[in-house]
């Protein structure tokens, strides 16, 4: 069993829908990352958070340390949001990656 | 461009070849990382260099040999690879020791071993 579990694994949404991707982890971490990987392979770091909530444009990330759970929300989804979203927990140099959620937003 | 540049973007090599992957960053970061991403698997951390010193080596086979000549450059030397080594190899960098762990990834090198 992976230390970081994401759900769902695959998600298809209509343009404009509100999207939630969930991440649960079973290890102690100092921070949690949400990463976005486009089909070409490049990865972009969206958020790094250790408590509370962060917002950037249409993206919102939350984390509940006690419950070891984080969510990534996308409001007013757009086809360009189509990508794989990866949750990763880290402490020191040790990273624990989820297998990713593949999101497809249909026009 | 993210600030972390990887070359080449694609590489096809035979099992007896020797090749090198290159990663370069000019973000002022002081830690660099090599990751392997195989299909349907989580990212796997291979090597970590902090301040040009290798601080982590996650049981990676010796046919993968990293080199970090300075804080801006990282290489992964490859020799006598196996077909199962075909994967996307990602480089990342970060700024450590300053209370900030912001990560920046490169676009990756898609390696195919034939």
């Amino acid at each position: 069993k992976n230390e970081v579990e994401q759900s769902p694994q695959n998600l298809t949404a209509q343009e404009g829908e509100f999207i939630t991707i969930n991440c649960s982890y079973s290890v102690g971490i100092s921070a949690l990352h949400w990463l976005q990987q486009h089909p070409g392979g490049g990865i972009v770091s969206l958020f790094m958070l250790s408590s509370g909530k962060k917002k950037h444009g249409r993206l919102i990330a939350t984390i509940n340390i006690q419950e070891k759970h984080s969510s990534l929300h996308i409001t007013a989804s757009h086809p360009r949001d189509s990508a794989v979203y990866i949750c990763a927990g880290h402490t020191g140099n040790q990273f624990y990656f989820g297998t990713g959620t593949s999101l497809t937003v249909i026009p | 461009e993210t600030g972390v540049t990887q070359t080449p973007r694609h590489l096809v090599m035979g099992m007896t070849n020797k090749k090198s992957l290159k990663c370069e960053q000019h973000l002022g970061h002081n830690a660099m990382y090599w990751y392997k991403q195989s299909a349907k698997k989580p990212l796997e951390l291979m090597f970590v260099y902090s301040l040009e010193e290798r601080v982590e080596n996650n049981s990676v086979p010796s046919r993968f040999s990293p080199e970090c000549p300075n804080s801006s450059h990282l290489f992964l030397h490859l020799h006598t690879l196996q077909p199962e080594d075909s994967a996307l190899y990602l480089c990342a960098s970060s700024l450590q020791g300053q209370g900030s762990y912001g990560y920046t990834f490169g676009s990756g090198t898609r390696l195919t071993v034939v």
Side-chain angles (χ1 to χ4, degrees), chain A:
Chain A
K1 184 172 161 59
N2 203 22
E3 293 88 352
V4 176
E5 297 285 347
Q6 287 184 237
S7 63
Q9 288 191 345
N10 296 285
L11 180 58
T12 300
Q14 287 292 133
E15 182 173 358
E17 283 187 8
F18 180 83
I19 290 163
T20 296
I21 300 171
N22 295 299
C23 174
S24 296
Y25 53 95
S26 57
V27 292
I29 62 172
S30 57
L32 185 130
H33 297 249
W34 280 102
L35 309 171
Q36 180 190 56
Q37 185 172 30
H38 283 282
I43 292 180
V44 174
S45 177
L46 299 175
F47 294 103
M48 183 182 69
L49 64 165
S50 54
S51 65
K53 173 180 173 179
K54 285 191 177 181
K55 184 176 189 291
H56 182 69
R58 296 180 293 106
L59 302 178
I60 303 167
T62 64
I63 187 168
N64 184 317
I65 301 294
Q66 286 73 31
E67 294 186 4
K68 293 188 173 178
H69 182 269
S70 176
S71 293
L72 176 68
H73 306 285
I74 305 175
T75 61
S77 59
H78 190 276
R80 63 174 174 266
D81 297 326
S82 298
V84 175
Y85 292 83
I86 301 169
C87 168
H90 98 264
T91 177
N93 285 323
Q94 183 68 47
F95 260 74
Y96 305 93
F97 291 92
T99 52
T101 294
S102 179
L103 170 66
T104 302
V105 181
I106 300 170

Side-chain angles (χ1 to χ4, degrees), chain B residues 35-108:
Chain B
Y35 290 91
K36 176 183 178 182
Q37 187 178 40
S38 303
K40 306 292 184 188
K41 290 184 179 180
L43 280 161
E44 301 171 55
L45 180 62
M46 300 174 73
F47 301 104
V48 180
Y49 276 84
S50 178
L51 300 173
E52 300 161 36
E53 179 183 344
R54 190 190 312 180
V55 296
E56 192 147 340
N57 176 351
N58 281 352
S59 302
V60 178
S62 60
R63 57 187 183 267
F64 294 93
S65 174
E67 179 190 1
C68 187
N70 55 62
S71 59
S72 298
H73 294 85
L74 183 67
F75 296 91
L76 187 62
H77 303 301
L78 317 170
H79 65 97
T80 58
L81 294 192
Q82 303 297 311
E84 61 263 30
D85 296 322
S86 298
L88 180 69
Y89 289 84
L90 288 154
C91 172
S93 68
S94 71
L95 186 64
Q96 292 186 310
Q98 305 291 326
S100 168
Y101 282 85
Y103 257 64
T104 304
F105 282 85
S107 299

